[in-house]
């Protein structure tokens, strides 16, 4: 604490009731009872930019980058930009020492336009066009991850200079089935390796896997390491070639509501370190360079989405139907953790069903909201920084140290036009 802090009465209130598992670390109530993030009252953002609006706490993003780097000092951390594909965020996280993981031509363009060093970009080749792959090679993208024979062949034909590549492997422990469609199952890895090694300009440096999303059991990553190091040792036996890189993808769970399970990063670190030591010792294989690709884990908790209450209808039995000005076609549960943001409500609560303004889109059931909630009040949903439906529709406003700036402008939608 500085002298200035010591002699000034604190203007801001305590963080009581705002669970730091789901809210940015600096979120709190001010003396007027309004929720403040990045030292900016959310109500001021709503007044300035209208609602719906998404607030992104810059400090929280930086803190998450630093937490990952500190917890995994030996690993490379790449931000999976699909979680929140904004150039300014790419710039911010790379400034914090992270690499950037992109998986679309738009993602690649955003990263390059934001000035990210191409060598620090990991590009996933699935579904990419010849032009995008060609641009990636020409611009010097550091690593390209290939997940099918067709991708290998396409990159081999467009490469005009040596390109470092990883093969995406499905080690058989993926947590959500559809993803198994991407990548080489273990029994197809040998053929994929031979295919890449047969392409003169493709330099195979390692394997990649992505186990799914919202994984909170770190043991899955330990098992992935055991299986993939065994595959790397097999490549050495067959081709007398040592692969140096092992990318374990993302998928680390975050808590969306108080009490939700989340990935314990120190535990993940301990388990992956032990698995690496054991697997490398067992295979007499040199320790590879390991990368992680968190997306949600970096940005989810930094985002808070604000909505205005359009109407409140009290039903029988202490239940209410609340309509908010969300145009997103979300999923039920998207707004589960919402709270009133313009005042600190301490009185009786009721159970509410919350619907978007299209009426038929239920965003949450059984949300605890103040019994005296009125139209015009402001609601905030924490942990909405990643993979939001219509993520680029509402404006995105970054907040830091009492200042705010618009990162993404509002996109008009059909409902807005109908209303005007
Ligand atoms: C290849 C790859 N890496 C990383 C991620 C990031 O996952 P998460 O945001 O769950 O950490 C994804 C997300 O789908 C992915 O497909």
């Amino acid at each position: 604490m500085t002298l200035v802090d010591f002699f000034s009465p604190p203007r801001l209130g305590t963080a009581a009731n705002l669970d730091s598992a789901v809210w940015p670390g600096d979120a709190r109530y001010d003396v007027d009872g309004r929720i403040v993030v990045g030292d900016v009252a959310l109500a001021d953002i709503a007044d300035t930019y209208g609602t719906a609006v998404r607030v992104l706490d810059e400090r929280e993003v930086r803190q998450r980058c630093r937490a990952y780097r500190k917890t995994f000092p030996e690993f490379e951390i790449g931000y999976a930009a699909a979680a929140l594909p904004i150039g300014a965020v790419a710039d911010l996280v790379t400034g914090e020492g992270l690499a950037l993981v992109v998986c679309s031509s738009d993602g690649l363009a955003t990263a390059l336009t934001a000035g990210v060093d191409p060598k620090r970009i990991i590009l996933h080749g699935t579904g990419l066009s010849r032009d995008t792959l060609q641009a990636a090679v020409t611009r010097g993208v550091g690593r390209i991850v290939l997940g099918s024979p067709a991708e290998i062949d396409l990159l081999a034909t467009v490469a005009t200079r040596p390109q470092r590549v990883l093969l995406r492997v499905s080690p058989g422990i993926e947590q959500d089935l559809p993803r198994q469609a991407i990548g080489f199952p273990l029994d197809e890895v040998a053929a994929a390796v031979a295919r890449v090694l047969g392409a003169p300009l493709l330099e195979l440096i390692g394997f990649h896997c992505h186990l799914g999303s919202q994984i909170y059991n770190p043991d899955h990553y330990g098992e992935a390491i055991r299986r993939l190091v065994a595959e790397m040792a097999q490549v050495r036996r067959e081709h007398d070639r040592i692969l140096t890189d092992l990318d374990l993808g993302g998928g680390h769970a975050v808590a969306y509501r108080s009490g939700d399970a989340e990935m314990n990063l120190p535990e993940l670190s301990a388990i992956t370190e032990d698995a690496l030591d054991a697997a490398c010792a067992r295979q007499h294989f040199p320790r590879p360079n390991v990368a992680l690709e968190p997306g949600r884990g970096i940005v989810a908790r930094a985002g808070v989405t604000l909505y205005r209450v359009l109407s409140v209808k009290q039903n029988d039995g202490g239940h209410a139907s609340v309509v908010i000005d969300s145009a997103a076609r979300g999923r039920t549960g998207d707004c589960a953790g919402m709270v009133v943001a313009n005042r600190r409500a301490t009185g009786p609560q009721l159970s509410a069903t919350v619907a978007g303004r299209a009426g038929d889109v239920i965003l949450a059931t059984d949300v605890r909201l103040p019994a005296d909630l009125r139209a015009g009040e402001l609601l905030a949903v924490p942990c909405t920084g990643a993979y939001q439906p219509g993520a680029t529709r509402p404006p995105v406003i970054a907040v830091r140290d009492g200042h705010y700036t618009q990162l993404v402008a509002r996109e008009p939608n059909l409902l807005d036009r109908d209303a005007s």
Side-chain angles (χ1 to χ4, degrees):
M1 180 183 283
T2 66
L3 284 178
V4 175
D5 293 334
F6 190 80
F7 287 111
S8 313
R11 224 196 81 71
L12 296 165
T14 67
N17 290 350
L18 295 178
D19 181 355
S20 61
V22 291
W23 285 86
D26 62 8
R28 56 197 160 179
Y29 287 99
D30 70 6
V31 286
D32 301 320
R34 305 178 306 169
I35 296 178
V36 167
V37 172
D39 280 346
V40 178
L42 297 180
D44 288 346
I45 303 271
D47 289 346
T48 307
Y49 295 97
T51 48
V53 60
R54 185 156 301 129
V55 175
L56 187 73
D57 187 354
E58 182 180 321
R59 183 175 170 277
E60 181 71 19
V61 177
R62 287 191 193 281
Q63 293 288 100
R64 295 297 293 168
C65 294
R66 289 172 195 181
Y68 266 99
R69 291 197 64 198
K70 194 165 169 220
T71 314
F72 302 94
E74 304 291 330
F75 292 6
E76 178 180 32
I77 309 297
Y79 164 59
L84 184 64
I86 298 178
V89 176
D91 188 49
L92 177 76
V93 301
T94 51
E96 286 292 333
L98 271 55
L100 201 75
V101 182
V102 295
C103 50
S104 66
S105 54
D106 284 354
L108 179 61
T110 305
L112 292 173
T113 310
V116 173
D117 177 359
K119 286 199 231 40
R120 300 282 285 148
I121 295 178
I122 301 168
L123 174 67
H124 285 264
T126 305
L128 293 189
S129 68
R130 167 182 289 267
D131 287 352
T132 304
L133 285 173
Q134 202 148 35
V137 176
T138 310
R139 296 292 295 269
V141 161
R143 282 157 279 180
I144 299 181
V145 183
L146 301 170
S148 71
E151 286 166 39
I152 298 173
D153 293 349
L154 183 56
L155 187 62
T157 57
V158 305
T160 46
R161 58 190 204 189
Q163 174 64 54
R164 286 150 62 94
V165 301
L166 291 94
L167 284 177
R168 179 160 171 172
V169 175
S170 299
I173 44 178
E174 292 83 332
Q175 298 304 297
D176 39 6
L177 286 172
R179 288 180 192 275
Q180 284 180 330
I182 304 177
F184 296 96
L186 291 175
D187 58 358
E188 292 175 18
V189 170
V193 168
R195 206 175 189 103
V196 177
L197 295 181
L201 289 177
L202 302 191
E203 184 193 345
L204 181 63
I205 60 165
F207 290 143
H208 172 285
C209 67
H210 177 68
L211 303 181
S213 60
Q214 282 295 82
I215 299 170
Y216 52 84
N217 182 351
D219 290 334
H220 297 308
Y221 293 87
E223 184 57 27
I225 288 171
R226 281 186 281 281
R227 294 186 189 192
L228 291 182
V229 170
E231 288 299 316
M232 294 167 100
Q234 181 67 20
V235 173
R236 181 179 57 184
R237 278 194 291 279
E238 280 176 19
H239 301 279
D240 194 23
R241 191 186 182 100
I242 294 185
L243 301 184
T244 53
D245 284 54
L246 178 56
D247 185 330
L248 297 172
H252 313 152
V254 301
Y256 282 98
R257 277 185 290 185
S258 293
D260 281 357
E262 64 181 320
M263 176 60 83
N264 180 319
L265 295 186
E267 216 176 293
L268 178 62
S269 173
I271 283 174
T272 47
E273 285 296 338
D274 285 353
L276 273 171
D277 287 346
C280 291
R282 182 173 181 169
Q283 305 290 345
H284 302 290
F285 196 81
R287 184 187 162 105
N289 308 314
V290 179
L292 301 178
E293 303 180 340
R296 207 183 298 265
I298 298 291
V299 291
R301 201 166 58 195
V304 178
T305 306
L306 306 178
Y307 302 104
R308 235 8 121 182
V309 177
L310 297 179
S311 69
V312 181
K313 196 169 127 223
Q314 303 276 351
N315 304 325
D316 295 337
H319 192 270
S321 302
V322 175
V323 178
I324 61 174
D325 57 357
S326 164
R329 302 201 73 82
R331 300 154 297 220
T332 301
D334 282 343
C335 287
M338 66 171 26
V339 297
V340 179
N342 54 294
R343 66 180 161 115
R344 190 169 193 160
T346 51
Q349 295 190 319
L350 47 65
S351 157
T353 297
V354 179
R357 61 183 172 177
D360 56 344
V361 183
I362 304 298
L363 298 169
T365 54
D366 199 21
V367 185
R368 304 300 298 171
L369 289 172
D372 58 351
L373 187 74
R374 297 175 304 273
E377 292 207 82
L378 192 65
L379 296 173
V381 188
C383 207
T384 45
Y387 303 115
Q388 286 303 297
T392 53
R393 273 189 127 46
V396 179
I397 315 299
V399 293
R400 178 178 55 88
D401 298 337
H403 300 283
Y404 49 89
T405 177
Q406 179 169 280
L407 300 183
V408 178
R410 182 181 302 284
E411 258 178 24
N413 59 41
L414 280 174
L415 286 165
D416 285 330
R417 273 184 252 147
D418 288 350
S420 62

